[in-house]
């Protein structure tokens, strides 16, 4: 089950997208966990027909899992991550427009509105007013499917992966003879996870099918036949959020490089990411596929001057030599130490370049943690957090000594940081009775706990932003003006509104824009903490 903040946010999202009845079903599933249909009807107090209709809507939009167990029968479970990703739908449509034009954006928006659709339904809905445009939509649909921006909706995607993961882990543990060690348990868990991922990848290889096409000629034969792919009309397609998330990650990396170095280094980073963009399938990748310096130089526009970001002795250095210099800078080639590797963005080996996604993600997440510590506890707070992250477990006296702070200042600051779960304590008993008076208390940063707490706080902030937007819209004067603007005559000519009504509308739009910008910034922090966690699991949000 989700925590209170996540439950409130998901219920708010479902309420805004599907209405209060579906939101009530969602709230019941989030607070009570996995339920059957009769239990859901009893706990919600709604009519069975209404509950069934809500369940169908949620399943159609991939927000509800169902599982069949021998003891309880058919059970329903809420997919929290799929619901939270609905906050990025506008950004996904914007990305599709930048990549594939208006036709691609319309296809993505239509599928997001309906959850999943077959290709004939997509083409018929979009070309209903212009039948000649069906060819353009077909081409854009093929590009979206072939480049993995759309993926097939399979039976596995509607079943909770947690059940199979538990089953596969039990099978792997049964193969272990004797008492299992921690290493064997970890290997069993990794094997089960790899097996589940392999099954999902195999199930999603049904989006395209082969069609033979004979080339134009006098006498067609086997030699002049070529095989092309076409979209399978019998498959339901849904949006592949992982593929769109790679673009958000790449943009964050580019911004981080520009902040750390300069604009020219960011251009080289963008070209490096662009060279391997087609092979980036998910944000869980540890590093990118290898690419060459020549391939990177191809993706740099000719009108960009890379020499402005470096102090060089030659008057007109070539782009290839400048790219090599920038890659050496990004890989921290002048600092071949663990600290240099932790601060790098790319790695160089055998004339191949890899973008180190895992290292960059850890650094971005740590930066969010330090920003929160500085905002809540000032410079001294972030100094202690950085010290514990770099050194490890330390006692209070040692912290005060290394941080060059008075003990009377360190003690309340440690308590404040611990109350926000930014740091934790480790008890080391002096004797076997574990008497609290005879123990060493070592302070350290539990990153998993700290990130989880920050994520819950960000979910609460997103819920508050949504509640504030709703309250702003429900004000009596604003509500009256918005209702008047919906009239057909006013929609065609807004001059029919009075001066006071236009001022009210302008002020409301200004406040809504500010709240939307704040929501995007908070959602960006959520993306860094949750989606860039390459080593974590997204089942427990």
């Amino acid at each position: 089950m989700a925590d209170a903040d996540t439950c409130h946010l998901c219920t708010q999202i479902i309420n805004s997208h599907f209405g209060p009845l579906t939101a009530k079903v969602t709230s019941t599933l989030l607070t009570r966990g996995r339920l059957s249909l009769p239990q859901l009807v009893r706990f919600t107090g709604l009519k069975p027909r209404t509950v069934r209709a809500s369940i169908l809507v949620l399943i159609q939009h991939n927000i509800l899992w169902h599982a069949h167990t021998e003891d309880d029968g058919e059970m329903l479970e809420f997919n929290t991550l799929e619901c939270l990703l609905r906050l990025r739908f506008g950004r996904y449509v914007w990305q599709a427009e930048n990549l594939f034009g208006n036709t691609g954006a319309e296809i993505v928006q239509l599928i997001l509105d309906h959850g999943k659709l077959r290709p004939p339904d997509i083409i018929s809905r979009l070309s209903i007013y212009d039948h000649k445009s069906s060819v353009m939509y077909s081409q854009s649909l093929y590009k979206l499917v072939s480049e993995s921006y759309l993926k097939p909706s399979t039976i596995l995607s509607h079943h909770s992966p947690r059940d199979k993961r538990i089953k596969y882990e039990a099978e792997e543990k049964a193969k272990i003879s004797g008492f299992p060690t921690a290493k064997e348990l970890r290997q069993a868990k990794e094997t089960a996870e790899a097996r589940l991922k392999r099954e999902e990848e195999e199930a999603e290889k049904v989006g395209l099918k082969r069609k033979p096409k004979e080339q134009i000629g006098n006498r067609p034969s086997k030699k002049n036949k070529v095989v092309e792919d076409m979209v399978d009309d019998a498959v339901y397609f849904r949006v592949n959020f992982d593929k769109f998330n790679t673009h958000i990650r790449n943009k964050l990396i580019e911004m981080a490089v520009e902040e750390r170095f300069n604009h020219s280094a960011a251009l080289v980073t963008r070209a490096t990411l662009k060279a391997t963009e087609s092979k980036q399938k998910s944000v869980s990748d540890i590093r990118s596929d290898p690419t060459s310096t020549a391939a990177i130089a191809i993706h740099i526009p000719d009108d960009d001057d890379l020499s402005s970001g470096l102090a060089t002795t030659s008057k007109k250095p070539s782009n290839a030599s400048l790219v090599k210099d920038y890659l050496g800078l990004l890989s921290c080639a002048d600092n071949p130490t663990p600290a240099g590797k932790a601060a790098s963005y790319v790695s160089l080996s055998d004339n191949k370049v890899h973008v180190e996604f895992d290292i960059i993600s850890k650094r971005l997440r740590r930066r969010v943690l330090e920003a929160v510590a500085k905002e809540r506890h000032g410079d001294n707070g972030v100094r202690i957090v950085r010290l514990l992250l770099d050194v490890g477990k330390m006692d209070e006296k040692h912290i005060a000594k290394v941080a060059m702070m008075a003990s009377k200042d360190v003690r309340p600051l440690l308590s404040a940081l611990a109350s926000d779960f930014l740091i934790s304590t480790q008890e080391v008993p002096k004797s076997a009775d574990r008497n609290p008076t005879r123990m060493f208390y070592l302070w350290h940063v539990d990153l998993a706990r700290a990130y989880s707490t920050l994520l819950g706080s960000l979910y609460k902030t997103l819920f508050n932003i949504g509640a504030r937007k709703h309250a702003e819209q429900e004000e009596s004067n604003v509500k009256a003006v918005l209702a008047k603007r919906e009239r057909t005559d006013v929609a065609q000519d807004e001059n029919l509104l009075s001066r006071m009504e236009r001022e009210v509308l302008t002020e409301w739009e200004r406040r809504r824009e500010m709240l939307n910008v704040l929501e995007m910034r908070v959602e960006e922090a959520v993306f860094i903490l949750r989606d860039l966690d390459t080593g974590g699991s997204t089942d427990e949000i």
Side-chain angles (χ1 to χ4, degrees), residues 19-49:
L21 296 178
T22 310
K24 190 171 184 179
V25 174
T26 298
S27 178
T28 304
L29 286 170
L30 285 169
T31 53
R32 296 183 177 271
R34 184 180 289 187
L35 296 173
S36 62
L37 179 59
Q39 291 172 334
L40 199 54
V41 172
R42 184 170 73 251
F43 290 136
T44 56
L46 301 174
K47 294 181 180 180
R49 182 178 179 181

Side-chain angles (χ1 to χ4, degrees), residues 286-288 344-347 354-361:
I286 302 298
R287 63 173 56 87
S288 68
S344 63
Y345 290 88
V346 300
S347 60
H354 301 263
V355 181
E356 297 292 340
F357 293 135
D358 187 39
I359 296 175
I360 300 171
S361 300

Side-chain angles (χ1 to χ4, degrees), residues 157-174:
S157 63
H158 290 83
H159 288 276
S160 175
R162 190 178 293 108
D163 295 330
K164 280 200 170 185
R165 186 178 291 109
I166 294 174
K167 177 183 176 182
Y168 292 162
E169 285 185 14
E171 292 177 359
E172 294 298 327
K173 291 176 183 177

Side-chain angles (χ1 to χ4, degrees), residues 37-101:
L37 179 59
Q39 291 172 334
L40 199 54
V41 172
R42 184 170 73 251
F43 290 136
T44 56
L46 301 174
K47 294 181 180 180
R49 182 178 179 181
T50 304
V51 175
R52 281 196 292 267
S54 301
I55 290 173
L56 287 175
V57 169
L58 293 175
I59 291 177
Q60 173 68 21
H61 287 267
N62 314 299
I63 306 175
L64 211 61
W65 283 321
H66 57 87
H68 185 80
T69 59
E70 297 179 358
D71 299 332
D72 302 322
E74 191 76 16
M75 303 295 289
L76 301 169
E77 183 180 354
F78 193 81
N79 187 351
T80 307
L81 180 60
E82 191 81 20
C83 177
L84 294 174
L85 287 174
R86 300 184 75 83
L87 293 173
R88 299 184 196 152
F89 276 11
R91 190 162 189 172
Y92 293 153
V93 174
W94 175 76
Q95 288 177 351
E97 184 178 4
N98 291 337
L99 294 169
F100 303 101

Side-chain angles (χ1 to χ4, degrees), residues 291-514:
T291 185
S292 62
T293 308
I296 297 172
I298 292 174
H299 289 87
I300 297 178
D302 296 333
D303 55 348
D304 289 330
D305 184 16
L306 296 181
S307 60
S308 61
L310 285 178
T312 58
T313 55
S314 56
K315 294 182 179 180
K316 291 184 179 180
S318 62
N319 265 2
S321 62
L322 289 172
V323 167
K324 290 182 180 179
D325 292 339
Y326 278 111
L327 291 176
L329 191 67
L330 293 170
S331 63
C332 295
D334 58 339
N335 187 11
T337 62
K341 184 179 180 181
S344 63
Y345 290 88
V346 300
S347 60
L348 304 175
S349 60
D350 299 331
N351 295 326
K352 296 295 181 180
V353 183
H354 301 263
V355 181
E356 297 292 340
F357 293 135
D358 187 39
I359 296 175
I360 300 171
S361 300
K362 288 179 180 178
R363 196 158 58 246
L364 290 175
R365 299 173 78 209
R366 173 171 171 169
R367 190 169 66 175
V368 172
L369 176 64
E370 292 177 355
V372 172
K374 185 174 183 178
E375 180 184 358
R376 296 181 182 178
H377 305 283
D379 293 333
N380 290 335
V382 73
R383 184 193 302 178
I384 291 177
V385 170
R386 286 175 177 172
L387 177 63
L388 294 177
L389 284 171
D390 294 337
V391 178
K393 296 181 176 67
M394 302 174 68
D395 64 353
E396 182 182 318
K397 295 181 179 178
H398 197 192
I399 292 174
K401 181 179 179 181
V402 177
M404 295 185 291
M405 297 171 60
S407 297
K408 63 182 182 64
D409 298 330
V410 171
R411 190 174 295 111
L413 193 54
L414 290 173
S415 300
L417 289 168
S419 65
D420 288 339
F421 301 102
L422 298 179
I423 62 175
S424 307
T425 56
Q426 173 67 52
E427 301 173 354
V428 180
K430 295 180 181 179
S431 57
D433 59 354
R434 303 186 67 87
N435 191 330
T437 60
R438 293 193 297 273
M439 280 191 181
F440 294 109
Y441 291 94
L442 304 179
W443 296 93
H444 70 285
V445 179
D446 188 349
L447 288 177
R449 186 186 184 193
Y451 292 151
S452 177
T453 304
L454 291 180
L455 202 54
S457 177
L458 292 174
Y459 287 157
K460 185 177 181 180
T461 303
L462 286 173
F463 171 76
N464 291 338
I465 293 172
R468 174 67 182 274
K469 290 166 69 175
H470 181 72
E472 295 277 356
Q473 188 172 347
E474 291 300 317
E475 289 184 2
S476 57
N477 55 345
V478 174
K479 193 173 183 180
V481 175
L482 291 176
K484 184 176 180 180
R485 193 174 67 168
E486 292 297 324
R487 286 168 29 187
T488 54
D489 56 340
V490 179
Q492 294 176 0
D493 184 12
E494 289 196 357
N495 291 326
L496 296 176
L497 295 173
S498 64
R499 182 178 60 83
M500 185 175 295
E501 288 173 339
R502 288 197 296 269
E503 289 177 355
V504 169
L505 195 59
T506 303
E507 179 64 20
W508 173 75
E509 289 176 347
R510 185 185 67 83
R511 292 199 298 262
R512 186 183 62 174
E513 184 179 359
M514 293 173 62

Side-chain angles (χ1 to χ4, degrees), residues 92-136:
Y92 293 153
V93 174
W94 175 76
Q95 288 177 351
E97 184 178 4
N98 291 337
L99 294 169
F100 303 101
N102 292 330
T103 56
E106 291 176 11
I107 292 173
V108 171
Q109 184 173 358
L110 182 67
I111 296 177
L112 290 176
D113 289 340
H114 291 81
K116 59 179 78 69
L117 285 173
R118 293 183 306 164
D121 300 329
I122 297 172
I123 303 301
S124 62
R125 287 175 182 270
L126 293 176
S127 59
I128 186 171
Y129 298 111
D130 185 9
H131 296 287
K132 295 180 180 179
S133 62
S134 59
V135 177
M136 293 190 301

